Amino acid sequence: DGKGILVQSKDLVRSVSVYSISGNELIQRRNINKESIFVDITNLQGGIYIVNAESDTAKKTMKIIVR
């Protein structure tokens, strides 16, 4: 089973990025233009990560813990 992040918005999701806690961009999805996207994080080691998601009207930053 793959691990992942489901990002949903009332508006179209434009981009999703996952960063290490030290600020390195590890996953980048651009030009999504859908109301939801599943981002596979199976290859990430256990730890804390920062997820940035953007739509036309909002930007959300979340902290996730991968076990």
Side-chain angles (χ1 to χ4, degrees):
D1 288 310
K3 291 187 264 185
I5 305 163
L6 180 62
V7 178
Q8 295 179 304
S9 174
K10 293 177 186 171
D11 302 316
L12 296 180
V13 177
R14 298 294 184 194
S15 66
V16 177
S17 298
V18 179
Y19 296 88
S20 67
I21 200 72
S22 60
N24 296 324
E25 187 174 55
L26 304 173
I27 299 172
Q28 175 185 34
R29 301 287 183 269
R30 303 271 186 257
N31 302 314
I32 299 165
N33 301 325
K34 296 179 183 177
E35 289 181 349
S36 67
I37 180 173
F38 181 82
V39 179
D40 185 354
I41 60 168
T42 304
N43 294 328
L44 296 182
Q45 295 180 355
I48 299 171
Y49 297 89
I50 305 299
V51 179
N52 286 333
E54 284 189 55
S55 71
D56 283 338
T57 59
K59 182 174 183 177
K60 177 81 174 179
T61 301
M62 301 154 276
K63 179 171 69 171
I64 63 168
I65 299 172
V66 176
R67 296 182 193 266

